Amino acid sequence: MSQIQRITFNPNQCSGRPCIRGMRIRVKDVLDLLAAHVSETEILADYPDLEAADIQACLEYAAAQVDHPVLTVAGR
């Protein structure tokens, strides 16, 4: 089941960047931690307001962002 609805956007919060459930925890911050090999257990301990489903939502959001069409010019 998709968790992506946990990702919120508010132009008055974090400069409109995607956050988690209206909190000031940016999706990018969670993704950066995961990329640095910080475990989900550690992330949840450091951010007690986060839930495991929030981390899954960040991953789903990131995957959706990189799945965009690539346009090419014919003949090149």
Side-chain angles (χ1 to χ4, degrees):
M1 175 179 273
S2 177
Q3 300 296 330
I4 205 162
Q5 72 275 4
R6 290 172 170 262
I7 306 303
T8 57
F9 304 85
N10 179 342
N12 298 316
Q13 179 181 327
C14 297
S15 300
R17 292 184 176 91
C19 292
I20 301 167
R21 293 185 289 121
M23 296 183 286
R24 292 187 180 276
I25 302 172
R26 299 179 308 162
V27 169
K28 182 185 182 336
D29 298 331
V30 174
L31 294 173
D32 285 344
L33 290 169
L34 292 170
H37 304 286
V38 178
S39 72
E40 182 176 314
T41 303
E42 288 178 90
I43 294 170
L44 294 173
D46 290 343
Y47 295 88
D49 292 331
L50 282 184
E51 301 171 2
D54 297 324
I55 295 173
Q56 180 64 36
C58 291
L59 292 170
E60 288 181 30
Y61 178 81
Q65 293 303 303
V66 298
D67 187 25
H68 58 83
V70 176
L71 303 177
T72 59
V73 177
R76 289 192 184 193

